[in-house]
Amino acid sequence: MKIFIKAILGVAVWFGFFYFYAVKISGSNAGVNMLVFFSSFALLLIFILWISGVIEMAMSGIRREKLLKSGTAASGCIVSCEKTGVKMSVNSDYPRYGAVLVIDIETSDGEKFQASTKMMLPEHELAGIRPGKQVQVRFDPRNRNNVIIE
């Protein structure tokens, strides 16, 4: 949803840019104006999606560090793990893949609940996550879907 809002804002900015630059300044050369507009619009969307991915990856690391320090420890059992189709690479040697995990969690006092979370994981870690696997997790008691695997 965040990416969608950024894309809409980007579209609005570029329509404004197109109107001002192509119509007011350049005159009436419509073919060149449209080429400039669509080329710059495509570059803008690529930039927005790239920046959103970088921000998401950084926020994921911050969230992980915060939960490792102050999250509640519990045991969990993987219910499902589905790739989202997102692939991020800082360098080509260590790509990370997006996944949605559903985990049955049991706290130390016996309380049970199910959490769903999105994670960016290296391929070797993603390959080891299978339904039924027991894992140690940390979660935020105020938002139980804010979960990480230790």
Side-chain angles (χ1 to χ4, degrees), residues 3-149:
I3 292 175
F4 179 73
I5 292 170
K6 290 176 186 176
I8 294 296
L9 289 173
V11 168
V13 167
W14 281 104
F15 271 115
F17 169 77
F18 171 70
Y19 179 76
F20 178 75
Y21 175 75
V23 176
K24 294 288 186 187
I25 295 175
S26 300
S28 63
N29 192 351
V32 172
N33 293 341
M34 292 306 284
L35 180 62
V36 167
F37 171 72
F38 285 115
S39 298
S40 60
F41 180 72
L43 289 173
L44 173 73
L45 283 180
I46 291 169
F47 179 73
I48 288 172
L49 293 174
W50 179 77
I51 253 333
S52 297
V54 170
I55 291 170
E56 183 73 28
M57 208 166 168
M59 293 305 291
S60 176
I62 292 168
R63 179 177 68 103
R64 181 171 181 76
E65 290 303 314
K66 182 178 177 186
L67 283 175
L68 283 173
K69 289 179 185 174
S70 62
T72 303
S75 61
C77 179
I78 304 291
V79 175
S80 68
C81 176
E82 296 181 25
K83 284 187 177 181
T84 62
V86 175
K87 178 182 175 183
M88 293 289 296
S89 296
V90 175
N91 62 39
S92 60
D93 295 335
Y94 302 104
R96 298 174 72 85
Y97 297 90
V100 176
L101 302 172
V102 178
I103 307 169
D104 282 335
I105 298 173
E106 184 173 353
T107 64
S108 58
D109 60 358
E111 184 180 357
K112 295 180 181 180
F113 64 95
Q114 192 172 77
S116 175
T117 187
K118 294 179 188 175
M119 293 184 173
M120 295 294 290
L121 299 167
E123 188 172 17
H124 68 278
E125 285 183 27
L126 192 57
I129 297 178
R130 297 282 177 243
K133 181 177 181 179
Q134 296 295 317
V135 292
Q136 292 300 310
V137 299
R138 290 201 177 256
F139 69 94
D140 182 350
R142 294 172 290 172
N143 177 4
R144 291 187 164 186
N145 279 328
N146 192 3
V147 176
I148 60 164
I149 296 174

